[in-house]
Amino acid sequence: MLLATLCYLHKNSHTLMLHRVKKQNDMHAGKWNGLGGKLENGETPEACALREAYEESGLRMLDPV
């Protein structure tokens, strides 16, 4: 089993979504999704959410709830 996070960043009435178009042979190509990814060894889900949000968007979350 793989553990992962998925975050939806909201501001006012907007939600940040990623459009998957880069990877070849991506089974999720063309779909929209939130930010997130797999936990690294010893990483908490909260730490993973913070890291992935920054890696994928450049945004730093203060409190992943």
Side-chain angles (χ1 to χ4, degrees), residues 33-62:
N33 206 354
L35 307 170
K38 298 174 188 75
L39 273 72
E40 295 179 350
N41 275 344
E43 189 174 43
T44 66
E46 294 81 8
C48 178
L50 293 171
R51 176 182 54 77
E52 289 286 350
Y54 180 70
E55 287 178 1
E56 295 181 356
S57 69
L59 298 173
R60 294 203 185 269
M61 291 194 299
L62 299 177

Side-chain angles (χ1 to χ4, degrees), residues 25-39:
N25 302 321
D26 182 358
M27 67 185 290
H28 301 292
K31 296 179 182 175
W32 291 88
N33 206 354
L35 307 170
K38 298 174 188 75
L39 273 72

Side-chain angles (χ1 to χ4, degrees), residues 6-47:
L6 180 60
C7 301
Y8 294 97
L9 304 183
H10 298 279
K11 183 174 181 179
N12 301 326
S13 63
H14 296 87
T15 302
L16 178 63
M17 303 290 287
L18 299 177
H19 190 211
R20 296 186 58 140
V21 295
K22 280 193 171 184
K23 294 181 185 175
Q24 290 185 344
N25 302 321
D26 182 358
M27 67 185 290
H28 301 292
K31 296 179 182 175
W32 291 88
N33 206 354
L35 307 170
K38 298 174 188 75
L39 273 72
E40 295 179 350
N41 275 344
E43 189 174 43
T44 66
E46 294 81 8

